[in-house]
Amino acid sequence: MAQTEPNLDHDVSWFLLPSYWAKMVVALMSFLCFANSYDGDFVFDDSEAIINNKDLRAETPLGDLWHHDFWGSKLSSNTSHKSYRPLTVLTFRINYLFAGGFYPVGFHVINIILHCTISVLMVDVFSILLGGLQFSNKGRRLNLAPKTSLLAALLFAVHPVHTECVAGIVGRADLLCALFFLLSFLGYCKAFRENKEGHNFSIFWVLVSVILGAIAMLCKEQGITILGLNAVFDALVINKLNVLELIQKLLHKDKSLENAVLLRKGLLFRITLLMSGGASILYIRWRIMGTGPPAFTEVDNPASFADSLFVRAINYNYYYSLNAWLLLCPWWLCFDWSMGCIPLIKSVSDWRIIALAALWFCLIGLICQALCSEDSHKRRILTLGLGFLIIPFLPASNLFFRVGFVIAERVIYLPSIGYCILFTYGFSLLSKQAKKKKILAVAVLGILLVNVMRCALRSSQWRSEEQLFRSALSVCPLNAKVHYNVGKNLADKGNQSAAIKYYREAVRLNPKYVHAMNNLGNILKERNELQEAEELLSLAVRIQPDFAAAWMNLGIVQNSLRRFEEAEQSYWTAIKHRKKYPDCYYNLGRLESEALFLKAIKANPNAASYHGNLAVLYHRWGNLDLAKKHYEVSLKLDPMAPGTKENYNLLRRKLEQLQKKGSA
């Protein structure tokens, strides 16, 4: 397939390397960026998607993976997020089986290898997108833009916004999706290997491309968008359609359009194959997933719950501008952007409207150039750049359905391809005008090196939850979930005093944050601050009446306050909302046994065995003061009571140890 277009590399001062060496350099740079994440812990969403996901365990039938969501819940469940990624979960399961348990190193190594592989494939992808598609007489694809394709691949490999996908294990969904996304594109290009005049193509490779697109979607939902991009590529590169000219002919009912359609029968047939395949894949997924939409809350995506269409539209566009900014300047990165991190824009007087104006000013300018430029080479590259920037982002745009996040860095992994195309093309235009091309090349090299350092720093922050959560405090200080996670991490390490501070801040920032109230109430309960604990837990269950854990904890507090009937009612309410709740059944059993012992003692206060057994109960629960009291009463009534003296001595030794530890 002959191409007579200007060479993008001609005016660019950059490294010219053989294809093999170019790929080696890209692989090395992508490895250096994220290598220090290989021995990181399971962090953030890894707990739910991996550690607590029963689908990873050998005892779970493999068939269940096809009926469960990414988190191991049934797709038919009302609480399911409907994230259907069975192939990603299958790779987690293989990781788990080969490692013999939950050892994060193997999981991290696979993620790093995947990113390196994807970055290497990007050399071939960018050579096509920037240089066009041309084959030698022997059917070998030629790289017509070796310098710019290397630059674009390096920009992709070392972009800091990719850290979440690589260093966070759940990011494997995006990595696997991207891998098959690119393979689908390259497979589609193979369909034209024998094409000489734009008429001949291989149906086999078109169908392979559709199958690979389906596999990409089974790794993550964005994968389906490759079929649309393949259609755009076919129209612009294979058939060299001028979109503006086509629109004008349609509007004026130009008779020459009929002849053009006849010449484009191959294009129409291929697009029909792509669209039919895509529709079939979506229908099958819809049947498996069920008709119900995923259940998200206002704190996950506040703009989508706004009553005003104007407020929703303004904020969605503001989110788009922030995503664009993360591609341009990936310095402020955060593991979670929800819960007040980005306050809603409610008025046109909000200065942040400027960001929307800047975004659309740039997009409209690029679209006009992509449609109206007389330079066919510019039209093709800009349209492909915008296509790869926008189309993979559409599933996360809130345009078709509500998503469960405000901003998620992981969803920019594929759209960053479009950014790299546009950046590289801009660099080539500047190089063409610049007198000192080497200075410009040094500046771009400096950007790459800064990105490498930023990737290494961000990867180190993803190594542990403590570093990850604390890194977000400066980026999203208004995010209640950030403070909650910092507090939870501190509480898990036994630092309750510091945890209380962060939990209180989380509740202050989000007065309806029931999980923060529950955890704070738990700590206060352990510190015997029962009144405030009861107030927090009571508020939590009023806000969310089906919050089983809060009901159980409220029951424990009421039990400590000797309000046994209320405690029993709280326990039964918890069990009502969570049928399989062994902890709650245990606490209910404890409550009834304590109540019965106290009732027996009230009827016969001089029975030593009653006091002795109640003391053992308190001893096991950790209520050491009450245990000591009843041991002493029992021994006073019967100094020879069997076992009581030994248990009392054990308790005294424990109390002495605690006293020494406290004084130290």
Side-chain angles (χ1 to χ4, degrees):
M1 185 172 66
Q3 300 247 352
T4 56
E5 291 184 339
N7 191 326
L8 200 65
D9 280 15
H10 184 266
D11 297 302
V12 173
S13 178
W14 195 250
F15 305 100
L16 179 60
L17 300 175
S19 178
Y20 175 81
W21 283 106
K23 292 177 179 179
M24 287 292 289
V25 169
V26 170
L28 178 62
M29 294 299 288
S30 58
F31 175 77
L32 289 175
C33 284
F34 304 106
N36 64 347
S37 68
Y38 87 96
D39 60 348
D41 299 331
F42 291 113
V43 298
F44 195 40
D45 286 339
D46 296 344
S47 297
E48 291 302 315
I50 298 172
I51 297 174
N52 298 331
N53 191 342
K54 61 182 182 299
D55 287 341
L56 270 65
R57 294 174 169 81
E59 58 267 23
T60 302
L62 274 174
D64 286 6
L65 270 64
W66 301 93
H67 302 284
H68 291 172
D69 66 17
F70 187 54
W71 314 96
S73 301
K74 289 183 179 179
L75 284 165
S76 57
S77 169
N78 292 331
T79 59
S80 172
H81 282 196
K82 310 294 184 182
S83 46
Y84 187 58
R85 304 164 192 172
L87 295 185
T88 303
V89 178
L90 180 61
T91 67
F92 289 154
R93 181 167 173 145
I94 293 169
N95 256 134
Y96 172 78
L97 292 175
F98 272 100
F102 292 113
Y103 302 103
V105 172
F107 290 85
H108 283 295
V109 168
I110 295 297
N111 275 27
I112 295 169
I113 291 172
L114 282 171
H115 178 66
C116 292
T117 304
I118 292 162
S119 299
V120 168
L121 285 175
M122 290 308 308
V123 177
D124 291 329
V125 171
F126 283 129
S127 72
I128 296 169
L129 296 175
L130 294 169
L133 184 63
Q134 183 172 330
F135 294 95
S136 67
N137 293 331
K138 295 181 179 180
R140 184 183 179 87
R141 188 184 60 78
L142 302 176
N143 185 350
L144 301 178
K147 291 193 284 187
T148 47
S149 62
L150 171 60
L151 171 58
L154 286 171
L155 283 167
F156 179 88
V158 305
H159 204 296
V161 84
H162 297 160
T163 310
E164 180 176 353
C165 292
V166 185
I169 297 172
V170 294
R172 185 177 301 177
D174 300 88
L175 297 173
L176 286 170
C177 173
L179 176 64
F180 290 104
F181 181 99
L182 298 179
L183 291 175
S184 174
F185 175 76
L186 293 172
Y188 196 79
C189 291
K190 280 183 177 289
F192 306 98
R193 187 161 46 186
E194 303 299 326
N195 188 19
K196 300 298 181 185
E197 300 296 333
H199 306 304
N200 302 321
F201 62 94
S202 166
I203 294 179
F204 169 79
W205 280 109
V206 174
L207 293 176
V208 167
S209 173
V210 173
I211 293 169
L212 289 168
I215 294 172
M217 192 192 71
L218 290 174
C219 297
K220 191 172 182 180
E221 296 74 10
Q222 282 177 297
I224 193 68
T225 60
I226 186 56
L227 302 183
L229 283 166
N230 284 341
V232 171
F233 175 80
D234 196 337
L236 295 176
V237 178
I238 306 301
N239 284 271
K240 300 185 177 67
L241 284 183
N242 185 325
V243 178
L244 183 62
E245 183 181 311
L246 182 64
I247 293 171
Q248 289 173 341
K249 286 182 177 181
L250 282 170
L251 292 174
H252 294 93
K253 298 181 180 179
D254 196 320
K255 291 183 178 180
S256 65
L257 186 63
E258 296 178 8
N259 296 328
V261 169
L262 290 174
L263 291 173
R264 309 295 186 193
K265 278 186 177 180
L267 171 63
L268 293 176
F269 178 70
R270 292 190 295 274
I271 289 179
T272 301
L273 282 179
L274 290 171
M275 297 302 106
S276 300
S280 301
I281 294 164
L282 288 173
Y283 175 74
I284 294 169
R285 187 187 188 281
W286 175 75
R287 292 284 297 179
I288 295 171
M289 185 182 77
T291 56
F296 297 118
T297 61
E298 186 174 353
V299 293
D300 297 320
N301 185 357
S304 67
F305 285 84
D307 294 328
S308 166
L309 177 62
F310 170 78
V311 172
R312 290 201 300 273
I314 287 293
N315 282 280
Y316 288 161
N317 280 274
Y318 182 57
Y319 297 162
Y320 305 156
S321 68
L322 290 177
N323 278 283
W325 182 249
L326 287 176
L327 288 172
L328 289 168
C329 184
W331 205 254
W332 294 276
L333 301 175
C334 185
F335 72 92
D336 186 275
W337 294 82
S338 63
M339 282 205 182
C341 185
I342 304 171
L344 286 179
I345 296 175
K346 298 180 179 179
S347 166
V348 291
S349 61
D350 193 312
W351 67 268
R352 291 175 293 170
I353 292 286
I354 297 170
L356 281 70
L359 172 70
W360 281 104
F361 177 80
C362 294
L363 281 177
I364 291 170
L366 288 170
I367 291 168
C368 288
Q369 287 294 306
L371 291 175
C372 305
S373 175
E374 295 181 359
D375 184 345
S376 62
H377 190 235
K378 176 187 279 190
R379 288 200 309 270
R380 174 174 63 80
I381 291 180
L382 289 180
T383 306
L384 288 173
L386 288 168
F388 274 84
L389 180 71
I390 295 169
I391 294 175
F393 184 74
L394 289 176
S397 66
N398 285 292
L399 292 177
F400 305 107
F401 44 81
R402 177 183 291 153
V403 298
F405 52 84
V406 175
I407 292 175
E409 293 158 20
R410 58 189 176 275
V411 304
I412 317 178
Y413 193 83
L414 284 172
S416 66
I417 298 172
Y419 160 77
C420 294
I421 293 171
L422 297 174
F423 183 100
T424 304
Y425 185 64
F427 172 66
S428 71
L429 293 180
L430 286 175
S431 296
K432 191 173 183 179
Q433 302 296 325
K435 294 181 179 179
K436 297 182 179 180
K437 294 180 172 57
K438 289 186 178 179
I439 294 177
L440 191 60
V442 169
V444 172
L445 187 61
I447 292 172
L448 291 174
L449 292 175
V450 168
N451 280 356
V452 170
M453 291 187 287
R454 179 66 177 124
C455 283
L457 173 63
R458 186 63 180 154
S459 290
S460 68
Q461 292 172 342
W462 272 87
R463 285 164 54 86
S464 70
E465 287 195 330
E466 180 181 6
Q467 294 181 79
L468 179 64
F469 298 155
R470 287 190 176 278
S471 70
L473 288 172
S474 59
V475 180
C476 283
L478 300 179
N479 188 335
K481 189 183 285 187
V482 169
H483 293 273
Y484 168 83
N485 279 291
V486 173
K488 186 174 183 298
N489 184 258
L490 289 166
D492 290 343
K493 292 182 176 180
N495 191 348
Q496 291 188 340
S497 298
I500 287 173
K501 169 190 168 186
Y502 286 100
Y503 281 142
R504 289 196 190 281
E505 181 63 9
V507 174
R508 186 190 71 80
L509 290 169
N510 183 2
K512 295 183 179 180
Y513 200 171
V514 293
H515 293 284
M517 294 175 190
N518 179 58
N519 288 13
L520 178 55
N522 263 339
I523 292 179
L524 294 174
K525 173 196 70 182
E526 292 173 11
R527 294 162 70 96
N528 208 35
E529 298 177 33
L530 300 177
Q531 194 64 40
E532 186 180 359
E534 184 183 22
E535 290 173 4
L536 283 164
L537 293 166
S538 297
L539 179 58
V541 296
R542 282 201 301 272
I543 294 170
Q544 187 176 325
D546 63 349
F547 192 2
W551 277 113
M552 184 190 75
N553 290 322
L554 178 59
I556 294 172
V557 172
Q558 289 165 336
N559 180 42
S560 299
L561 291 169
R562 297 290 183 270
R563 300 213 304 271
F564 300 120
E565 290 183 4
E566 292 178 44
E568 182 179 0
Q569 184 60 45
S570 294
Y571 288 146
W572 283 117
T573 306
I575 291 168
K576 172 188 171 184
H577 294 299
R578 189 190 297 178
K579 303 298 182 187
K580 297 178 180 179
Y581 204 170
D583 287 345
C584 198
Y585 282 112
Y586 169 74
N587 284 312
L588 186 60
R590 281 177 37 171
L591 167 67
E592 289 176 357
S593 60
E594 182 185 18
L596 288 171
F597 275 125
L598 289 171
K599 192 173 182 180
I601 288 171
K602 186 176 181 180
N604 185 4
N606 295 321
S609 61
Y610 294 175
H611 289 280
N613 282 296
L614 182 57
V616 170
L617 194 67
Y618 286 138
H619 196 165
R620 288 175 178 171
W621 298 352
N623 294 347
L624 303 185
D625 291 335
L626 285 173
K628 181 174 181 290
K629 171 188 171 183
H630 286 279
Y631 277 138
E632 290 173 348
V633 172
S634 177
L635 288 170
K636 184 177 179 180
L637 292 169
D638 183 4
M640 304 303 292
T644 304
K645 193 168 185 178
E646 289 81 357
N647 289 333
Y648 180 59
N649 289 333
L650 286 172
L651 175 63
R652 287 184 62 186
R653 282 198 293 271
K654 186 169 184 179
L655 288 169
E656 288 170 2
Q657 289 172 358
L658 290 172
Q659 189 175 6
K660 288 179 182 178
K661 192 175 180 181
S663 60

